[in-house]
Amino acid sequence: MPAASSERALFLDRDGVINVDHGYVHTPEKFELIDGIGEVMQHFARAGYLLIIVTNQAGIARGYYTEEEFLRFDAWMRGELNRLLAVTIARTYYAPHHPEGVVDRFRGESDLRKPNPGMLLAAARDFSLNLGRSVLLGDKESDVVAGKKAGVGLNVLYAACGAPAQTIADRVVLSVSEIIDVRPT
Ligand SMILES: [Mg+2]
């Protein structure tokens, strides 16, 4: 029997966690870093976590931008994070589908689209992650639902506008920096 992996990740939602959610952001002009997230990424990277983005991108299914435009922006953003903060994103997983999409091949349900856990499970396979030792940071309930379904050990909800009345998150933080104090050792 193979030994359980010790590799762990910090899963980051993108819009509303890394960049301010201005709505379907896909150009550098609309990219605005969330306060404190740079230090969070640096902290987790130093502690040995892989940094992995997991992002729903219904804008692709809706025809607001193409998959190629998304990928171009993703490459630019990851370059900026590396240049400005010296952090490396191990991979970006994205779910281009939406049930009401206008682009035929992306219309419909998908295991990848949060709250489904497909992107997290794919990352676990690709990087041999120990999900139980991994951490997820999201700003929507669908993020933490996906994390719970996948078996992520610590699912943190960033609630910029105050804690919600109900959540299944393991922890709620009102600024992203607080996650540094709640991560498991
Ligand atoms: Mg979000």
Side-chain angles (χ1 to χ4, degrees):
M1 213 171 98
S5 168
S6 59
E7 194 79 76
R8 51 193 183 172
L10 172 65
F11 291 110
L12 297 143
D13 173 47
R14 199 196 75 182
D15 299 301
V17 170
I18 294 178
N19 56 277
V20 176
D21 192 353
H22 291 302
Y24 300 103
V25 171
H26 64 284
T27 55
E29 304 79 61
K30 290 279 173 69
F31 182 79
E32 187 185 344
L33 205 59
I34 294 267
D35 264 353
I37 195 64
E39 291 74 18
V40 168
M41 289 191 280
Q42 290 169 334
H43 177 88
F44 276 80
R46 271 198 304 271
Y49 288 76
L50 292 174
L51 304 178
I52 296 178
I53 297 174
V54 286
T55 177
N56 281 355
Q57 289 294 326
I60 299 172
R62 292 182 185 281
Y64 297 160
Y65 43 91
T66 65
E67 189 171 20
E68 290 67 32
E69 287 172 312
F70 165 78
L71 290 170
R72 203 175 310 136
F73 176 72
D74 180 64
W76 173 85
M77 182 188 74
R78 289 163 60 172
E80 286 293 285
L81 295 176
N82 191 262
R83 186 176 69 83
L84 299 170
L85 303 164
V87 295
T88 300
I89 301 296
R91 197 171 298 179
T92 299
Y93 292 84
Y94 61 102
H97 314 83
H98 192 275
E100 290 152 30
V102 299
V103 178
D104 286 346
R105 68 195 172 107
F106 297 129
R107 181 168 50 240
E109 298 293 341
S110 164
D111 292 343
L112 298 177
R113 182 173 163 75
K114 295 174 285 187
N116 295 324
M119 292 191 283
L120 300 162
L121 297 175
R125 277 193 305 272
D126 294 343
F127 292 96
S128 299
L129 297 175
N130 184 328
L131 288 173
R133 296 185 70 217
S134 295
V135 177
L136 176 141
L137 178 60
D139 70 321
K140 291 200 174 133
E141 190 68 9
S142 54
D143 296 316
V144 297
V145 171
K148 287 277 188 179
K149 283 183 180 166
V152 172
L154 180 66
N155 298 279
V156 180
L157 180 68
Y158 165 45
C161 303
Q166 272 199 319
T167 176
I168 64 164
D170 301 303
R171 295 294 292 264
V172 177
V173 295
L174 303 181
S175 76
V176 291
S177 310
E178 290 173 51
I179 195 176
I180 290 172
D181 301 321
V182 301
R183 76 172 177 85
T185 52

